[in-house]
Amino acid sequence: MKVAIPSETGEGLTSVRSGHFGHTPWFTIATIENDEVVKVESVKNVDHNQVGCGGVIEFAHSLGIDAMITAGMGRPPFMRFTQYGVAVYLEQQTPIVGDVVNKFIAGQCPRMVLENACNHQH
């Protein structure tokens, strides 16, 4: 399973996570097999100001992810990821990406529902 976490830096599991999906500078991609992280990639995000939220969604989806763990996400990206079959999980307490991944593996990140999505416009 490939899981993406919006991140402030490209430092892998030691990165500080980003507070919002659309404007994240990086995605940390953790590949998880048998409850263990077997691969970590840091991928620079596209520029939201140039491509808009739709471009960020398409870019993230193009990374072949199965899930996104986010502290916040608007309704349009949440709905688009859901349509693509990408599960969105909510985790708002943990500042370090590796700790977020460990919570996810432990089953401590709930699935996001539409009511959790941010309701604002960019």
Side-chain angles (χ1 to χ4, degrees), residues 45-56:
N45 191 14
V46 292
D47 186 342
H48 184 282
N49 294 330
Q50 291 181 347
V51 300
C53 209
V56 175

Side-chain angles (χ1 to χ4, degrees), residues 1-111:
M1 170 180 248
K2 284 178 79 170
V3 179
I5 301 96
S7 309
E8 290 296 327
T9 62
E11 298 169 346
L13 296 179
T14 61
S15 295
V16 173
R17 56 119 33 105
S18 180
H20 202 277
F21 158 77
H23 293 276
T24 187
W26 293 83
F27 289 108
T28 301
I29 311 294
T31 303
I32 301 167
E33 295 176 3
N34 299 319
D35 291 338
E36 289 188 21
V37 177
V38 296
K39 183 178 179 184
V40 177
E41 304 166 79
S42 295
V43 180
K44 186 105 173 94
N45 191 14
V46 292
D47 186 342
H48 184 282
N49 294 330
Q50 291 181 347
V51 300
C53 209
V56 175
I57 296 164
E58 294 303 319
F59 176 73
H61 182 248
S62 78
L63 300 174
I65 60 173
D66 301 298
M68 174 78 64
I69 308 170
T70 183
M73 178 181 285
R75 288 174 182 235
F78 172 75
M79 292 172 70
R80 182 98 55 94
F81 279 123
T82 300
Q83 289 170 346
Y84 284 150
V86 174
V88 180
Y89 293 85
L90 195 60
E91 205 295 320
Q92 299 176 313
Q93 308 301 317
T94 310
I96 303 299
V97 168
D99 295 334
V100 172
V101 172
N102 289 335
K103 283 183 82 169
F104 175 76
I105 291 170
Q108 298 173 351
C109 298
R111 285 285 290 262

Side-chain angles (χ1 to χ4, degrees), residues 110-122:
R111 285 285 290 262
M112 188 175 182
V113 294
L114 189 59
E115 291 74 31
N116 300 132
C118 302
N119 194 9
H120 61 263
Q121 302 297 320
H122 286 281

